[in-house]
Amino acid sequence: MAAAVSKISMDFITRLNLQNPHDVKTVNGGDTNATYSLYSGEKRYFLKVQPNQDRHYFDHEVASLKALSEWVRVPKVMKQGEKQGSAYLLMDWIETGSNNQSALGEALAHLHHAKGKAFGFEVNADNDYFPKNNTWSSSWGEFFVHQRLEPLMDLAKKKALWLNQRGDHFENLKKTILADDHVRQVEPSLLHGDLWAGNFMFDTNDQPVFIDPNSFYGDREYDLAVSKVFPGFNEDFYSSYEAAYPLEDGYQDRFKWYEFYYVLLHFVRFGDIYAPRLNRLLISF
């Protein structure tokens, strides 16, 4: 994407009103934003830039970081705004340490003990590739089916005829979710919301740092199911989580719902490479 490879100007950096900014370098930071390392004096920062967006572009991420910061370590937000027609988010730089998956599992369990009064979040994720409606709901089943699954499937059906032909399986999935006892009783936990291997790191004390959250209050099993979609988490992570916050019986079956949603999300964005996996999941419902 153009945003990820664009070169920022020193004029833009100067307008951030930092003291003696220097050593500006591009860094790997995903495929959505242009990302940079820079120094102000002797302190290093991480900068995200999204061209042609206003200052509110990063509102959901900033709100997510603020919510998570009460429970786990996240990068500290220094500045958010807009310069020269581009949105920016400036955060402190995290020096990396060694992988400590046991600590990561414990930290996630600690985060999931943060409970809300309803399912959703205070800010919508309007600027995601697939915008997410986080309007509060008293029902996890209603929230997940009507504010996540159905809008995403509507978008996906425009890309693949076979999804329309599998409509019965999708209807079965929705009915199963809405009728499930766990779903009816689940408490709203604060979630990272996009927990794959690229969205955590470890500091120089080998303690976990959660990055790039897409937070909302939901079923804590969602975060764990998402973590299993791609490699990056080992048995130490899952065993330490289970020891700190044991899962309820039947979670393996419920994980498949959330895996389906996350794979569907990737299908919508990246295309047919995810179609075989998506199809196998869908016809199992």
Side-chain angles (χ1 to χ4, degrees):
M1 296 178 65
V5 297
S6 62
K7 183 65 177 177
I8 202 169
S9 69
M10 279 307 299
D11 182 55
F12 184 97
I13 297 294
T14 300
R15 292 173 184 270
L16 298 180
N17 295 321
L18 299 174
Q19 180 183 8
N20 184 29
H22 59 280
D23 289 341
V24 180
K25 298 178 181 178
T26 58
V27 297
N28 293 328
D31 58 1
T32 302
N33 305 292
T35 52
Y36 304 91
S37 162
L38 63 92
Y39 284 84
S40 174
E42 296 183 356
K43 189 168 178 58
R44 193 176 186 183
Y45 296 95
F46 181 71
L47 175 67
K48 291 184 176 184
V49 179
Q50 184 62 226
N52 305 314
Q53 295 290 341
D54 66 23
R55 65 180 305 274
H56 297 292
Y57 179 82
F58 292 106
D59 280 357
H60 182 259
E61 181 173 352
V62 170
S64 297
L65 289 167
K66 181 180 179 181
L68 265 61
S69 70
E70 300 292 326
W71 296 87
V72 293
R73 187 174 179 200
V74 297
K76 182 179 179 181
V77 174
M78 311 304 296
K79 289 187 177 185
Q80 173 196 9
E82 176 191 344
K83 299 293 181 182
Q84 299 178 334
S86 296
Y88 73 88
L89 178 61
L90 184 71
M91 296 178 283
D92 65 337
W93 182 271
I94 307 295
E95 296 292 344
T96 57
S98 300
N99 193 313
N100 184 352
Q101 294 247 330
S102 291
L104 181 63
E106 292 173 3
L108 184 66
H110 184 63
L111 173 63
H112 287 168
H113 276 97
K115 303 300 182 183
K117 295 181 179 180
F119 301 96
F121 200 59
E122 61 194 71
V123 180
N124 288 330
D126 292 326
N127 293 310
D128 286 0
Y129 182 84
F130 166 62
K132 299 175 183 66
N133 174 11
N134 288 328
T135 300
W136 297 104
S137 173
S138 60
S139 164
W140 169 242
E142 296 287 335
F143 177 89
F144 185 64
V145 168
H146 300 313
Q147 294 173 230
R148 288 296 189 267
L149 274 177
E150 289 179 337
L152 184 58
M153 180 58 86
D154 287 343
L155 186 58
K157 282 179 177 178
K158 298 176 182 178
K159 303 186 68 172
L161 177 63
W162 58 267
L163 286 173
N164 290 296
Q165 297 168 338
R166 301 273 192 260
D168 289 346
H169 294 283
F170 187 59
E171 291 302 316
N172 289 340
L173 171 60
K174 292 191 293 181
K175 290 177 182 177
T176 298
I177 293 171
L178 292 172
D180 186 80
D181 287 339
H182 167 84
V183 169
R184 290 173 173 172
Q185 299 173 14
V186 66
E187 294 182 282
S189 289
L190 180 57
L191 308 182
H192 177 281
D194 190 15
L195 193 63
W196 68 288
N199 284 349
F200 68 85
M201 57 188 298
F202 298 92
D203 63 19
T204 53
N205 294 318
D206 303 335
Q207 293 304 300
V209 183
F210 292 87
I211 62 176
D212 294 339
N214 201 323
S215 293
F216 60 98
Y217 286 88
D219 184 357
R220 64 191 178 102
E221 293 177 355
Y222 176 91
D223 269 350
L224 291 161
V226 165
S227 75
K228 288 180 171 287
V229 174
F230 302 116
F233 300 82
N234 64 30
E235 186 55 38
D236 289 343
F237 167 77
Y238 296 107
S239 60
S240 65
Y241 181 96
E242 181 72 17
Y245 199 173
L247 293 167
E248 297 178 15
D249 291 343
Y251 70 86
Q252 297 95 335
D253 291 331
R254 295 187 294 270
F255 273 18
K256 293 179 182 178
W257 309 339
Y258 306 137
E259 178 186 359
F260 171 76
Y261 169 78
Y262 201 63
V263 174
L264 184 63
L265 196 64
H266 282 73
F267 171 77
V268 167
R269 184 166 187 182
F270 299 110
D272 286 344
I273 188 173
Y274 291 98
R277 185 173 183 179
L278 188 64
N279 193 38
R280 286 194 299 272
L281 284 165
L282 186 56
I283 63 176
S284 71
F285 300 131

